[in-house]
Amino acid sequence: MHNHVNFPEELAIRPLLPRDAHSTCDFWDKQQLAFGAEAQREGIETYGIAGRVWEAAYLVNSYIDHPSTWEFDPPLIDKHLSRHKRVFLELGSGTGIVAAKIAQAAALSGRDLVIATDLPEVCPLLEKNLFVTPKGDSANTQVTLVRPLSWGNYDHAINIVRELELVDDPSGHEHGCITHIICSDLVYFPELLAPLLRTLLHLTSPPSISIFESQPRIIISYKIRSLSKETPFWSAFGLWFLFQPVIARKTDANNLLSEWHRFGSDTGGDGDLAFIFVARRRPESLNWTIPSEDIDLLGGVGAGGMCDKKSDETFEILLLMGLGE
């Protein structure tokens, strides 16, 4: 029986292919077997919405791997982290196209690690797309792991942390820690908003993080589809996390820099905006109690260390300001 989350009623979706210059041609040429139209058609039939590449995935891949003429603020990688081991954990990886892009860069560094996660029943798709080359050989096995992580499931999250020893080691042995959490097109179904936020809180709270390390940088690539359904997530998210839109500029043929502008566009041709947020956990929130009920979490209960309901207005302000443009 199909999981109802990935097979909503009246599901009618088609494969989505890259449509603009942001897509890296070399990467796409090598990944047609895993992410091309035929692969997506098969994926949709077997895995529902998890088997399709969504608009925000192409956008975040442009942020991960972009022409040298582009400059982003904030950048994906802080300069002070460039010489340290980086651990990228992606939530809701689906087809794995974003994890594959990160793994491509991680393999070049020789020290980074990519963890692709999704529902247990979607993990076989990730393993197929990330670990098998067109010749049938294994690929990316040294830099990529696939693990189950159902949103809201504390055991799934903490099992990854424990397995990878991403927490402090009293013996002084050097381990990695989660440096980046990647979310691509995850804010959509209302019933999944609280579980998604809960998992982000799990992954940015002890023991998932070390008291000696900085908080993971959360990258959220997001396409607006229904503000009325999706705004409650941002209203609660902003209570626990500080976030801002990514802006970009580029150098033209005359070596002149363009003005800064919000990175994101009408990626689907239907008037809906897509953009990227970069977020970090509010330090003071580590002392707050996370409510056990989803309705309370989305209602702001526990935020600020208080039990009343509340909301954050960052998202609405960014919308009114043209999303930071």
Side-chain angles (χ1 to χ4, degrees):
M1 180 178 292
H2 290 315
N3 185 300
H4 76 281
V5 171
N6 286 331
F7 287 88
E9 291 185 11
E10 301 181 1
L11 176 66
I13 55 176
R14 298 188 225 175
L16 180 70
L17 302 180
R19 59 184 287 269
D20 58 33
H22 289 308
S23 301
T24 306
C25 295
D26 181 59
F27 170 82
W28 184 251
D29 289 342
K30 294 177 180 178
Q31 300 292 338
Q32 283 283 354
L33 184 67
F35 310 117
E38 184 57 33
Q40 289 188 51
R41 274 190 286 269
E42 294 177 1
I44 291 168
E45 182 178 346
T46 306
Y47 299 98
I49 61 175
R52 182 189 193 245
V53 177
W54 294 88
E55 291 86 350
Y58 291 123
L59 184 65
V60 76
N61 274 2
S62 302
Y63 182 51
I64 295 166
D65 182 20
H66 53 83
S68 59
T69 53
W70 281 86
E71 180 183 357
F72 293 101
D73 183 22
L76 177 66
I77 305 295
D78 286 334
K79 289 183 178 180
H80 77 275
L81 282 176
S82 60
R83 296 183 180 180
H84 295 81
K85 179 178 180 178
R86 294 164 295 198
V87 177
F88 298 85
L89 187 148
E90 186 187 12
L91 299 177
S93 298
T95 64
I97 191 171
V98 175
K101 172 63 74 174
I102 302 172
Q104 183 184 54
L108 295 176
S109 79
R111 62 182 180 274
D112 296 337
L113 178 67
V114 180
I115 309 167
T117 73
D118 212 306
L119 294 169
E121 56 266 32
V122 178
C123 287
L125 175 63
L126 284 169
E127 292 168 350
K128 173 186 174 184
N129 288 348
L130 294 175
F131 297 152
V132 179
T133 70
K135 296 181 180 179
D137 304 322
S138 61
N140 293 327
T141 54
Q142 298 302 311
V143 297
T144 309
L145 297 173
V146 171
R147 295 292 182 268
L149 204 172
S150 302
W151 302 344
N153 189 313
Y154 178 78
D155 289 338
H156 280 184
I158 205 64
N159 284 345
I160 293 174
V161 172
R162 286 172 177 161
E163 175 192 358
L164 300 171
E165 296 183 310
L166 298 181
V167 293
D168 303 345
D169 184 348
S171 69
H173 180 69
E174 182 179 359
H175 293 308
C177 64
I178 299 173
T179 57
H180 296 76
I181 299 172
I182 312 296
C183 305
S184 174
D185 246 332
L186 303 187
V187 181
Y188 47 95
F189 291 150
E191 63 267 28
L192 295 179
L193 300 182
L196 173 59
L197 176 57
R198 192 176 299 281
T199 285
L200 289 171
L201 291 171
H202 289 162
L203 293 172
T204 54
S205 301
S208 296
I209 61 166
S210 164
I211 60 174
F212 302 109
E213 298 285 348
S214 60
Q215 274 282 343
R217 173 170 288 191
I218 300 173
I219 313 296
I220 302 181
S221 188
Y222 164 61
K223 178 179 178 180
I224 296 175
R225 291 187 171 85
S226 173
L227 279 175
S228 62
K229 294 179 179 179
E230 296 156 4
T231 297
F233 172 82
W234 299 110
S235 297
F237 179 80
L239 294 170
W240 299 85
F241 296 87
L242 296 166
F243 66 102
Q244 66 185 96
V246 171
I247 57 176
R249 64 181 179 179
K250 61 181 178 178
T251 304
D252 63 21
N254 296 318
N255 208 33
L256 297 175
L257 279 171
S258 67
E259 295 292 326
W260 288 103
H261 65 279
R262 181 185 57 79
F263 185 60
S265 61
D266 176 8
T267 57
D270 53 11
D272 291 332
L273 291 173
F275 53 94
I276 297 176
F277 284 137
V278 173
R280 285 192 190 276
R281 183 79 177 264
R282 292 181 181 272
E284 65 273 20
S285 71
L286 293 172
N287 297 317
W288 303 344
T289 300
I290 302 172
S292 58
E293 297 296 326
D294 285 353
I295 190 171
D296 290 336
L297 182 60
L298 282 187
V301 174
M306 297 177 288
C307 296
D308 60 321
K309 291 189 174 184
K310 61 192 77 68
S311 63
D312 179 77
E313 298 180 350
T314 303
F315 182 65
E316 287 88 343
I317 291 172
L318 290 173
L319 288 177
L320 291 174
M321 296 175 60
L323 297 176
E325 290 182 312

